Amino acid sequence: MRRRRRLNVVKLRKGKIIPREDGKRIEEFVGAATTGTDSMSVARMLAPPGWSESAQTPEFDEVVIVLKGELTLVVDGRRQLIGEGELGMVPRGHRVVYRNDGQGACDYYSLCAPAFRVELAHIEEAPKEAEDNRVTVQVAHPQGKRFSKQVTELAETFLRKLDLSGCELSISLVGDHAIRRLNRTWRKKDKATDVLSFPAGDAPKGTPGPRQLGDVVISLDTAKRQAKEYERTLDSEVARYLAHGLLHLLGYDHERPKDAQKMARTEERLLGESGMVGDAVAPRARKLMT
């Protein structure tokens, strides 16, 4: 008489918590990290609202069973919503993004065959978030206060258009007396001018904090005179000076025709119209720097 093999049934009441840094809770009951099982894995997930994972193209089939809330699956670019009490399946070899677009947490089970392993998931590297830029405005002119917010927002827009992030820019709004003193000290020209740029230079590699671009100094007195002479608004004139000064901080120049054309094109991209260099290289243009 053949004896029947005895089957051992293991009752699993508690799993192992898998550490995460994105706010999602994973409790694995069966799998490589808990029971050493290679053929399949079973885990319970709790995803907070707004949670999302990087895209992956796994070498395993995955079934999800939603207990509470809603789970969004984006498989090969097609979005599918799995609601409470519903089941979803993602076959192996398909690119998938898991996320919770709902207002509350999503509680669900995940079953993978073969068992989930990081090396089998082929998780894509998450794109780096752009660091914020920092703009500071120093006011040393009676009318400078009303320009402070405008100049800050304009500078932030220019930096974004130039695809710059993690940078710090300092702007000073002064009068003719102050800019004349700076012009005399640093350029040996004893007269007022429209805008001056003082690049910060390259910081040593590994220096913490934002990348220092330097200082742009704008004369509001000169801006008022030039705006009236060339029939432009004062806001427009200040914007021209800011674009010109910022590009000098970034290494742009207009001494040679080829460099001037490049700087003129970039000024126009920032302003949406011809800037200081563009006017200077145009026929019968006024002299760029006074």
Side-chain angles (χ1 to χ4, degrees), residues 187-213:
R187 301 178 68 227
K188 308 304 179 185
K189 296 185 178 182
D190 190 14
K191 56 184 176 181
T193 187
D194 35 31
V195 57
L196 292 174
S197 299
F198 299 95
D202 295 329
K205 192 174 182 180
T207 301
R211 172 190 169 194
Q212 303 289 331
L213 297 181

Side-chain angles (χ1 to χ4, degrees), residues 7-285:
L7 178 65
N8 293 321
V9 178
V10 179
K11 187 178 289 187
L12 301 170
R13 297 181 180 274
K14 189 176 181 181
K16 177 181 178 181
I17 303 299
I18 309 298
R20 299 273 295 199
E21 297 181 354
D22 59 357
K24 182 183 180 184
R25 185 179 188 273
I26 300 179
E27 184 178 7
E28 184 179 279
F29 294 91
V30 176
T34 50
T35 58
T37 305
D38 292 325
S39 59
M40 69 175 298
S41 60
V42 179
R44 188 171 184 175
M45 316 284 195
L46 187 64
W51 165 83
S52 178
E53 277 186 335
S54 297
Q56 55 185 280
T57 308
E59 294 183 40
F60 46 77
D61 299 320
E62 182 166 7
V63 173
V64 294
I65 305 171
V66 176
L67 305 177
K68 185 178 180 181
E70 297 176 338
L71 182 67
T72 297
L73 307 180
V74 184
V75 183
D76 295 334
R78 298 183 65 180
R79 180 177 177 272
Q80 182 68 49
L81 185 66
I82 311 299
E84 187 172 318
E86 295 181 333
L87 180 150
M89 178 177 175
V90 180
R92 69 189 71 188
H94 291 265
R95 186 175 186 270
V96 58
V97 174
Y98 294 88
R99 66 183 193 226
N100 179 6
D101 296 336
Q103 299 298 314
C106 180
D107 187 0
Y108 68 99
Y109 273 98
S110 167
L111 294 80
C112 300
F116 174 89
R117 291 179 182 273
V118 173
E119 59 269 27
L120 296 181
H122 302 296
I123 300 171
E124 298 175 13
E125 186 176 348
K128 293 183 179 179
E129 292 187 8
E131 298 179 57
D132 291 337
N133 293 307
R134 186 185 304 168
V135 178
T136 59
V137 178
Q138 308 296 326
V139 177
H141 189 280
Q143 296 179 342
K145 190 173 181 181
R146 90 166 182 88
F147 283 97
S148 181
K149 182 179 179 181
Q150 170 195 332
V151 167
T152 300
E153 294 175 350
L154 197 57
E156 290 171 347
T157 300
F158 287 171
L159 292 171
R160 285 196 299 272
K161 286 185 175 182
L162 293 167
D163 296 323
L164 292 173
S165 62
C167 296
E168 182 166 349
L169 171 65
S170 177
I171 303 167
S172 295
L173 303 177
V174 303
D176 276 353
H177 180 74
I179 207 164
R180 178 176 181 175
R181 185 171 63 249
L182 290 170
N183 205 22
R184 181 174 62 244
T185 302
W186 297 102
R187 301 178 68 227
K188 308 304 179 185
K189 296 185 178 182
D190 190 14
K191 56 184 176 181
T193 187
D194 35 31
V195 57
L196 292 174
S197 299
F198 299 95
D202 295 329
K205 192 174 182 180
T207 301
R211 172 190 169 194
Q212 303 289 331
L213 297 181
D215 300 84
V216 174
V217 183
I218 293 172
S219 171
L220 293 182
D221 291 338
T222 299
K224 285 195 294 183
R225 289 197 306 272
Q226 296 279 55
K228 184 177 180 180
E229 181 179 353
Y230 294 101
E231 298 181 344
R232 288 188 287 262
T233 65
L234 183 54
D235 290 353
S236 173
E237 193 72 12
V238 170
R240 288 159 58 87
Y241 295 179
L242 178 59
H244 188 83
L246 173 59
L247 292 183
H248 271 311
L249 293 184
L250 299 174
Y252 285 79
D253 203 353
H254 45 78
E255 294 300 321
R256 296 181 299 179
K258 186 177 180 180
D259 294 334
Q261 290 173 6
K262 180 181 178 182
M263 189 170 182
R265 287 194 300 269
T266 309
E267 280 185 343
E268 188 168 352
R269 180 157 66 91
L270 297 181
L271 297 166
E273 60 184 9
S274 180
M276 296 176 69
V277 179
D279 286 353
V281 298
R284 294 176 295 176

